[in-house]
Amino acid sequence: MDQRIINLFDEYTHAPLSRRDFLDRLHKLTGGAAMAAAALAVLEPGYAQAATVPEQTDDLVTEEVTWPGDAGVTMKGYLVHPKSKKKLGAVVVIHENRGLTPHIKDVTRRVAQAGYLALGVDALSVFGGRPPTRMKAAR
């Protein structure tokens, strides 16, 4: 893929570039709407399609958890562990800039499926948690 397209997508996801401006510039770079749509399909992550461990799995226990943080902030997280009662090692799963996305939850389930107590922490709790849309998360 043309590096200019990758750079444009990076600007869109990490800088203040509106979706409209992004699509206009992508259209110009690719030479047409069909090619822009094809490029966008490759660039945008498909979190739901990429899940490898289903949310409802018979051998795992999953739950949304909260705990008190600094300055009165309620921290949020996604706790997953095998149903077995044995002692487990623990892993904290840290997300990238978009918060506790479906992908990070899937990673947390994968860690638990490997035999650990896994906690996916929503470090954006201080801002009210993961934004409801990708657009708001990128800002």
Side-chain angles (χ1 to χ4, degrees), residues 55-96:
E55 288 185 44
Q56 302 299 320
T57 305
D58 290 339
D59 60 337
L60 296 177
V61 176
T62 64
E63 63 181 303
E64 303 284 335
V65 295
T66 61
W67 64 94
D70 288 342
V73 172
T74 299
M75 295 298 297
K76 300 173 189 173
Y78 184 62
L79 185 66
V80 187
H81 60 85
K83 283 191 175 176
S84 68
K85 300 291 183 188
K86 67 179 185 175
K87 290 185 178 185
L88 303 170
V91 175
V92 176
V93 178
I94 306 297
H95 61 75
E96 67 277 349

Side-chain angles (χ1 to χ4, degrees), residues 20 25 34 36 42 56 63 67 71 77 95-96 105 116 128 135:
R20 179 183 207 94
R25 288 171 58 187
V42 171
Q56 302 299 320
E63 63 181 303
W67 64 94
H95 61 75
E96 67 277 349
K105 287 184 173 184
Y116 296 92
M135 286 298 295

